[in-house]
Amino acid sequence: MSQWPGLGDVKEDIQTPSLLLYEEILEENMQSYFRFARDRGVSLRPHVKSHRIPELAQKQVKQAESGIMVQKLSLAETMVRHGLDDIVIVCPVVTQSKLDRLMWLAEQATISIVVDGYENTQALEEATEGHNQDINALIEVNVGADRTGSEPGQETAELGEYINSTELIKFSGVLAYDNHILYESSSQEEFCAMADEVLSKLKSTVDEIKRRDIEVPNVLAGTSGTSRQMCKESVVTEINPGRYLLNDASFIKHIDRVQKEDCAARILTTVISKPTSERVIIDAGAKTFSWMHHDQPVCVNDEELEYVDFSSEHGIIDTSDAQIDPCVGDQLEFIVGNIDATINLHSQAIGIRDGVVSSVWSIPTEGQCR
């Protein structure tokens, strides 16, 4: 008997643990965000790190009439091989072997790479000259996340001048990673104030670049948790949400509008042990959900079934406050804690519609981090 499900199989017959994607939910999430972007007059370029499935990326691109965003070269390579031809790569590329790969990508598709300083820009410049290959570059602006990013204002503008002076790098605009405001703010008022500060830094930076007679074609900002606030000002031309398509337990906790019913990604598990009346063990641990502890999975069957701890292949469930009494052999379904981390562990996702298997997607980017 195959461990992989067939189309039309009922959910209860799926071997566990398995990653399920509820198609009606992800389709509604896709439509909802597209309508939002259209109504706000901004472009929507989805960040596909949250699902890593070429077929879903193709659906998003067809709907939004845009390209996609990825973090790493390996994901970009996979997407190009599946016909995606307009990609922003947000992690700077600096080593020769990876720059060679980047130049190959730029020959196949429209590629924009993010830079944030002279060192990674000059490495990119040498690669373009060595391959005689042009490429687009976006400058990431540090708007408070203190990760990568050039400082707002003069520092970014001077880097823009340098890029504009190169022969084969085309200055394509600026990008801001603003997701820190979702997790660092303690109230809606603070969230809005931090968003306004991000927008102010972006606007002053764009104005400083334009004062040097340099056009700023694109201003990218806005994650799934911040896009609605980032669209308040006309300075932002494109939003780049990713997790909105599937959502997760982290979003239930941090975004008021996201509920359990909006979460398309679930892990189907089986109870394999019941050591006590207040604890059961499921067959899904860190190798299924991920090692991230920030937000634990949420049980769909009963929220009071608390996922309290895990080892590599076991999940420990506290049943002391639960309304149901799971037994060995029962299936339990969990909304993943952080979909970005979980999706990278799986080679397959199973589409569910009306309780049966409606799609089986390969995830050819499983484990890719280069």
Side-chain angles (χ1 to χ4, degrees):
M1 180 179 178
S2 173
Q3 63 173 309
W4 308 121
L7 297 181
D9 287 357
V10 297
K11 184 176 71 172
E12 291 74 19
D13 288 343
I14 296 173
Q15 296 193 40
T16 64
S18 286
L19 173 63
L20 310 182
L21 302 184
Y22 281 81
E23 296 203 53
E24 296 101 327
I25 300 175
L26 74 83
E27 287 166 357
E28 174 54 32
N29 291 343
M30 190 186 303
Q31 288 284 348
S32 175
Y33 232 98
F34 169 70
R35 289 193 298 265
F36 160 73
R38 180 195 60 198
D39 293 345
R40 293 296 184 94
V42 295
S43 297
L44 168 62
R45 179 186 294 270
H47 203 320
V48 301
K49 67 173 181 177
S50 299
H51 61 75
R52 307 174 72 88
I53 299 172
E55 291 87 346
L56 293 184
Q58 289 163 352
K59 287 185 178 182
Q60 290 176 296
V61 165
K62 182 178 180 180
Q63 181 190 62
E65 298 182 347
S66 68
I68 60 172
M69 178 176 282
V70 302
Q71 282 191 312
K72 293 295 186 72
L73 271 175
S74 53
L75 184 51
E77 289 166 335
T78 298
M79 292 297 167
V80 165
R81 291 187 175 105
H82 283 81
L84 283 301
D85 60 3
D86 181 356
I87 303 177
V88 170
I89 304 171
V90 298
C91 285
V93 175
V94 298
T95 60
Q96 187 59 54
S97 58
K98 287 188 176 182
L99 285 164
D100 289 342
R101 290 164 58 195
L102 179 64
M103 292 301 104
W104 177 86
L105 278 174
E107 292 176 5
Q108 316 302 317
T110 300
I111 300 295
S112 301
I113 183 70
V114 169
V115 296
D116 68 349
Y118 289 100
E119 290 179 318
N120 48 40
T121 302
Q122 288 167 350
L124 179 65
E125 182 181 14
E126 291 175 8
T128 61
E129 292 173 348
H131 288 261
N132 193 29
Q133 175 63 51
D134 59 349
I135 196 168
N136 300 320
L138 293 155
I139 301 176
E140 180 169 355
V141 184
N142 179 16
V143 292
D146 294 335
R147 193 174 66 174
T148 49
S150 175
E151 288 306 299
Q154 181 177 339
E155 182 176 306
T156 298
E158 290 176 351
L159 183 58
E161 274 190 310
Y162 180 82
I163 292 171
N164 208 44
S165 71
T166 65
E167 183 179 354
L168 293 170
I169 306 176
K170 180 182 178 182
F171 177 61
S172 188
V174 297
L175 172 148
Y177 177 71
D178 50 57
N179 206 46
H180 64 287
I181 70 175
L182 180 65
Y183 296 98
E184 294 178 9
S185 57
S186 57
S187 66
Q188 183 64 23
E189 291 74 17
E190 185 179 10
F191 174 83
C192 292
M194 292 177 73
D196 288 343
E197 183 179 357
V198 167
L199 289 168
S200 177
K201 289 177 179 179
L202 267 179
K203 188 175 187 306
S204 64
T205 300
V206 169
D207 290 343
E208 182 66 30
I209 296 171
K210 287 182 176 179
R211 273 195 286 272
R212 299 163 190 255
D213 294 323
I214 301 171
E215 290 298 313
V216 185
N218 305 289
V219 179
L220 284 61
T223 66
S224 297
T226 65
S227 287
R228 295 173 189 271
Q229 203 68 21
M230 289 300 110
C231 291
K232 280 178 53 181
E233 301 289 342
S234 60
V235 65
V236 174
T237 64
E238 180 178 292
I239 56 175
N240 311 117
R243 286 155 70 186
Y244 76 97
L245 189 68
L246 302 178
N247 289 315
D248 53 31
S250 174
F251 274 13
I252 294 175
K253 180 178 178 180
H254 293 284
I255 305 176
D256 290 341
R257 67 176 182 276
V258 176
Q259 305 297 318
K260 281 198 310 180
E261 295 75 18
D262 303 311
C263 295
R266 320 275 179 88
I267 297 293
L268 185 66
T269 74
T270 298
V271 176
I272 58 174
S273 174
K274 190 171 184 176
T276 75
S277 61
E278 296 186 343
R279 184 174 82 248
V280 298
I281 310 301
I282 59 172
D283 57 353
K287 290 183 179 180
T288 300
F289 286 104
S290 90
W291 289 99
M292 294 181 70
H293 281 273
H294 300 305
D295 294 292
Q296 295 288 44
V298 172
C299 187
V300 176
N301 311 77
D302 181 349
E303 286 189 45
E304 299 304 323
L305 286 171
E306 187 179 358
Y307 192 105
V308 293
D309 203 359
F310 54 78
S311 56
S312 59
E313 300 286 8
H314 299 77
I316 302 172
I317 312 302
D318 183 346
T319 65
S320 57
D321 295 324
Q323 302 300 308
I324 64 174
D325 184 24
C327 298
V328 171
D330 287 351
Q331 288 186 340
L332 296 176
E333 199 169 306
F334 290 84
I335 295 168
V336 302
N338 183 301
I339 187 58
D340 290 354
T342 300
I343 202 76
N344 198 45
L345 302 175
H346 292 263
S347 61
Q348 181 187 71
I350 302 167
I352 300 292
R353 194 185 296 272
D354 298 324
V356 302
V357 176
S358 51
S359 304
V360 180
W361 293 294
S362 171
I363 307 178
T365 57
E366 174 200 11
Q368 290 184 355
C369 58
R370 293 191 179 93

